[in-house]
């Protein structure tokens, strides 16, 4: 919440335009951001699976900015095609794999 109280330009001054859309999805064992710079955009999905709770806290702190920066890089990469750039980053809770839950 504190991140959204301040403009994106304060956290990522190199991002020269506001995203077209920002989506946040919270699931039982994950949280995810998706940032896009156009209605029709291409990018990809990065899955971050920290090994332990300490690493999860560190990844949580940079979750949105990582997604924003990756989407902006994709936007710059897609400059010669009609589609804008986008990226999703899914942060998985440690110990939430189906194998670990079964044990």
């Amino acid at each position: 919440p504190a991140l959204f109280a301040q403009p994106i330009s304060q956290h990522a001054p190199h991002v020269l335009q506001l995203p077209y859309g920002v989506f946040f999805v919270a699931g039982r064992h994950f949280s995810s951001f998706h940032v896009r710079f156009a209605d029709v955009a291409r990018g990809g999905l990065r899955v971050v699976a920290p090994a332990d709770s300490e690493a999860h806290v560190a990844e949580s702190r940079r979750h949105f900015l990582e997604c924003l920066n990756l989407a902006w890089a994709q936007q710059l990469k897609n400059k010669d095609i009609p589609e804008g750039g986008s990226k999703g980053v899914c942060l998985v809770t440690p110990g939430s794999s189906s194998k670990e839950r079964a044990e």
Side-chain angles (χ1 to χ4, degrees):
L3 178 68
F4 297 110
Q6 300 172 10
I8 288 175
S9 61
Q10 281 187 301
H11 297 282
H14 58 281
V15 176
L16 303 178
Q17 76 183 75
L18 286 175
Y20 176 85
V22 176
F23 303 92
F24 176 72
V25 179
R28 179 180 242 167
H29 300 291
F30 74 94
S31 63
S32 183
F33 280 102
H34 176 81
V35 177
R36 59 180 44 235
F37 283 93
D39 183 25
V40 178
R42 30 167 102 178
L45 174 68
R46 174 177 283 184
V47 177
V48 179
D52 56 32
S53 296
E54 189 174 309
H56 186 266
V57 169
E59 291 296 338
S60 293
R61 288 189 185 117
R62 62 178 164 255
H63 189 185
F64 175 73
L65 285 179
E66 178 183 17
C67 189
L68 177 67
N69 289 330
L70 290 170
W72 180 246
Q74 193 68 41
Q75 173 73 1
L76 296 175
K77 183 178 167 184
N78 291 1
K79 66 181 176 39
D80 296 329
I81 60 174
E83 294 88 1
S86 70
K87 191 62 93 170
V89 176
C90 179
L91 179 60
V92 180
T93 305
S96 62
S97 72
S98 58
K99 179 182 174 187
E100 290 174 352
R101 281 191 305 243
E103 294 175 349

